[in-house]
Amino acid sequence: MVSNTQTAVAAQAKAQVQMLENLIPQTVTYTTAGHLLIIGAEDAIRLAAADLDGMASITLVATDAITSQDEAHLAKVMEAVEKTESVPAYYSKQVQVKGFLGQYQAHIKDEQGNHLELAPAAVRRPHYDLVLDLGQQPSLSLELLPPGYFHVQDDADKLAGALAQLPHLVGEFTKPRYVKINSDICAHYGSGIEGCSRCLNFCPADAISTTGKAIEVDHNLCHGAGSCSNACPTGAISYDQPAPKVLADYLKRLISKYIELADNRPVIVFHDETAGDEALKALQNLPGAVLPVALEEVAVAASDAWMSALAWGARQVLVLTTEQTPATLMALLQREQKFVAELLDAIGLSDRVELIATTELDSLAAKVEASAQWPELAIAAFPSELAKRDAFYNGLDHLNGCANGISDELKIPHLPYGMVEVDIDKCTLCQSCSALCPTRALKDGGDLPALNFTEQACVQCGLCEKGCPEKAITISSRVLLDRDQRQAQRVLHQEEPFECIRCSKPFATKAVITKITAQMQNHTAFAGDAIKRIQMCEDCRVKDMFEDVINDPEKQLRV
């Protein structure tokens, strides 16, 4: 072991291992000219407008009456009114705002109850650039508000900060495009059927929508929270700052370097680059074995990163949340941590992944000390370039092999892992399900009438269940711990092929032919011996129809 303290070793490891970030990331550009909309009580908006200089224009919307009748306060308000008497002013209890920095649209109801779009009416522009909202409730109801929108309520410090910042928000501004979409592996939609919608449920900025039956991200609204990529079961939405493979490569190299230098195992602490970073820096003594990993948002690292970190040699993974962590992200992280914790408990590795709040950091040293007593596990050799699900399963299988080697199953509802069951009495092997399956977990039998299933590939999107015309499919979430069973392709249903009654060529299943025969037996096109055409392949069916016409002169006349 090196002579340095563990704290110095952690710092040395971080200094020697750098994340290979994209040097030319895709960006989003905002353009603003400084046209500002101020919303709130009449006295508050007048005072704010009077304190602002350098704006291209200001429009006021009073949603409430004056908040105080104090004489000194009223005197200030009257001075502000005189200073802003040329500013367009409106009165409306209802203000609707949408947009982002440089492109905010606002609508109100005037005194006659008519809807009015403010920017064209007040400043003869299609939109505003900035919004200062002094109302008690924001006109935009989002957990993460878009850039250029300031909701300060009656917080004097926030108001002072916004008033100082607003005049400088003129010009061009850029930010990264945080996520990418690979529609080819998205499980959201197929053949008119809606499947997976996990990403739509966890965006705190309301930046994800379904457009043209496909998932789209509004990069102008996206804050890079990472919840969408975390929730996505296929990796169709992936974070780009850093990309998943970049983060995985960094984790593997960082953990390996620490083990090389310290000859013991680190505790990985994922945290965000703002409040989480400040909280860790505020600690007087960061426990020596701790390796902090800063992310744009803490939800960027998902269960695949947690499991991989443990497999590559971390003895514990802690995920640091703060008071600024949006409720939607907290719900996602709590769900993911609960799932992973139950999974690790099942294989005998309890407490290896935990959430920790900044208010609980006084217990960090105790957690690190307790984890130092755990037996060290073998270090996995699988590469960092794996796709999301492959990384998760490789981590799980390695840890399972290091622990008790349990080969049971873990059933937790609503997981993006699980099985497909088929009612063979209903299934006709029409292959609607395999055609819809975005991950190829379901496949046809090739030359044989069969339906095959590989559980490890199933993301429980529900497309097969919803798309089955016979309602023969049921999905159920679980994690099968036996790797061989999970990776094996197994037959869910198979039948003997039905052979053409004329040429003996196999062309369908017996179940399909029986069903169609029953459905068409009363149809005039299949009256009499014509019903046998259903039992013929496509070539023989055409030959039989022409032979029938040729052999019957009356039918030739009708044709």
Side-chain angles (χ1 to χ4, degrees):
M1 180 184 293
V2 296
S3 60
N4 294 6
T5 65
Q6 290 184 342
T7 302
V9 169
Q12 188 178 356
K14 287 183 68 66
Q16 293 185 23
V17 179
Q18 301 298 316
M19 191 177 295
L20 303 176
E21 298 182 17
N22 185 358
L23 298 178
I24 312 177
Q26 288 189 311
T27 58
V28 178
T29 300
Y30 301 103
T31 303
T32 78
H35 295 275
L36 172 67
L37 172 66
I38 305 180
I39 305 168
E42 186 172 2
D43 51 344
I45 62 177
R46 288 288 180 180
L47 290 168
D51 284 341
L52 277 168
D53 292 313
M55 307 309 300
S57 73
I58 296 176
T59 302
L60 305 177
V61 177
T63 55
D64 293 288
I66 292 174
T67 58
S68 172
Q69 297 297 323
D70 177 78
E71 289 187 8
H73 176 74
L74 291 176
K76 291 181 180 178
V77 173
M78 291 307 298
E79 290 179 10
V81 170
E82 291 180 9
K83 188 176 179 181
T84 60
E85 60 182 354
S86 62
V87 173
Y90 298 83
Y91 299 86
S92 178
K93 288 286 186 182
Q94 298 181 21
V95 184
Q96 295 179 334
V97 177
K98 65 177 182 179
F100 47 86
L101 179 63
Q103 291 194 37
Y104 280 105
Q105 293 177 316
H107 295 79
I108 64 170
K109 269 190 176 181
D110 62 20
E111 295 177 355
Q112 288 73 41
N114 300 315
H115 286 275
L116 179 66
E117 187 174 357
L118 271 181
V123 292
R124 297 183 180 180
R125 289 180 56 83
H127 45 70
Y128 290 102
D129 299 307
L130 306 155
V131 178
L132 176 60
D133 192 341
L134 307 178
Q136 290 302 307
Q137 297 298 323
S139 298
L140 272 174
S141 299
L142 298 172
E143 287 182 76
L144 293 179
L145 295 169
Y149 182 96
F150 297 85
H151 180 237
V152 302
Q153 295 176 293
D154 50 6
D155 188 316
D157 291 336
K158 282 187 178 180
L159 177 59
L163 294 176
Q165 190 176 352
L166 281 166
H168 300 287
L169 290 176
V170 177
E172 282 195 352
F173 304 89
T174 61
K175 71 170 185 180
R177 284 195 174 208
Y178 292 107
V179 297
K180 295 190 299 187
I181 297 180
N182 180 358
S183 298
D184 292 339
I185 58 173
C186 180
H188 175 60
Y189 195 88
S191 297
I193 302 166
E194 184 177 320
C196 175
S197 59
R198 288 180 172 89
C199 61
L200 293 168
N201 300 329
F202 287 104
C203 180
D206 200 24
I208 303 178
S209 60
T210 303
T211 305
K213 303 173 183 176
I215 292 294
E216 284 197 356
V217 175
D218 187 335
H219 296 285
N220 293 297
L221 297 177
C222 176
H223 278 255
S227 52
C228 56
S229 61
N230 190 314
C232 179
T234 65
I237 297 185
S238 61
Y239 209 78
D240 200 36
Q241 297 293 326
K245 293 178 182 179
V246 171
L247 175 59
D249 173 70
Y250 173 70
L251 282 174
K252 187 175 184 180
R253 290 186 294 112
L254 180 64
I255 294 168
S256 298
K257 179 57 68 174
Y258 179 91
I259 294 172
E260 175 191 326
L261 295 172
D263 196 27
N264 68 7
R265 304 301 178 87
V267 173
I268 296 294
V269 177
F270 289 111
H271 63 91
D272 66 46
E273 293 178 337
T274 52
D277 189 58
E278 291 174 6
L280 288 176
K281 287 178 178 177
L283 288 179
Q284 294 296 320
N285 294 297
L286 189 66
V290 168
L291 272 178
V293 176
L295 303 166
E296 182 81 22
E297 289 286 351
V298 71
V300 169
S303 55
D304 56 307
W306 304 345
M307 299 292 272
S308 295
L310 292 174
W312 288 327
R315 67 178 188 240
Q316 188 178 32
V317 169
L318 300 177
V319 181
L320 181 62
T321 63
T322 73
E323 292 182 355
Q324 283 72 46
T325 304
T328 298
L329 264 65
M330 279 299 303
L332 174 65
L333 289 170
Q334 288 167 350
R335 188 194 71 172
E336 288 290 296
Q337 186 275 333
K338 180 177 182 294
F339 157 57
V340 170
E342 289 188 30
L343 198 55
L344 294 174
D345 284 346
I347 61 177
L349 296 175
S350 300
D351 304 323
R352 298 283 174 150
V353 175
E354 293 186 11
L355 301 185
I356 182 171
T358 50
T359 54
E360 301 172 313
L361 281 177
D362 55 354
S363 68
L364 179 59
K367 286 183 179 293
V368 172
E369 184 177 350
S371 67
Q373 309 306 313
W374 297 340
E376 292 185 352
L377 306 177
I379 296 174
F382 64 83
S384 59
E385 296 85 7
L386 297 175
K388 179 175 183 175
R389 289 176 70 83
D390 292 335
F392 168 81
Y393 276 125
N394 270 269
L396 169 63
D397 292 335
H398 175 80
L399 295 171
N400 191 19
C402 291
N404 296 336
I406 294 174
S407 58
D408 203 349
E409 65 179 39
L410 184 70
K411 289 192 174 182
I412 303 176
H414 312 304
L415 289 177
Y417 313 92
M419 62 184 298
V420 169
E421 295 177 293
V422 173
D423 186 337
I424 60 175
D425 293 329
K426 294 181 180 179
C427 178
T428 61
L429 292 174
C430 68
Q431 300 300 334
S432 295
C433 55
S434 62
L436 285 168
C437 183
T439 62
R440 303 293 291 150
L442 288 168
K443 294 181 180 179
D444 62 32
D447 294 333
L448 297 174
L451 180 62
N452 299 319
F453 176 64
T454 304
E455 184 159 334
Q456 180 155 315
C458 179
V459 297
Q460 296 284 290
C461 64
L463 286 172
C464 58
E465 187 176 47
K466 295 175 183 177
C468 177
E470 313 303 335
K471 306 301 178 187
I473 289 182
T474 305
I475 62 172
S476 57
S477 60
R478 72 173 185 179
V479 174
L480 189 61
L481 295 173
D482 188 305
R483 176 177 56 190
D484 293 336
Q485 289 187 46
R486 194 180 64 236
Q487 293 180 346
Q489 179 174 277
R490 68 177 187 269
V491 178
L492 296 181
H493 182 37
Q494 64 181 355
E495 288 188 19
E496 291 297 320
F498 187 90
E499 296 179 351
C500 173
I501 59 175
R502 284 188 57 158
C503 71
S504 300
K505 169 185 157 184
F507 72 99
T509 66
K510 290 182 179 179
V512 168
I513 298 303
T514 300
K515 178 182 177 181
I516 296 176
T517 301
Q519 290 176 339
M520 305 304 292
Q521 62 184 352
N522 295 321
H523 196 287
T524 55
F526 295 97
D529 289 341
I531 194 70
K532 294 181 179 178
R533 291 177 186 149
I534 294 174
Q535 301 172 336
M536 299 176 190
C537 68
E538 58 275 18
D539 294 333
C540 292
R541 192 176 305 129
V542 173
K543 290 177 184 178
D544 187 72
M545 291 172 64
F546 275 98
E547 287 171 2
D548 191 29
V549 172
I550 291 170
N551 295 329
D552 187 341
E554 291 186 6
K555 287 185 178 180
Q556 294 179 38
L557 292 174
R558 287 199 294 272
V559 173

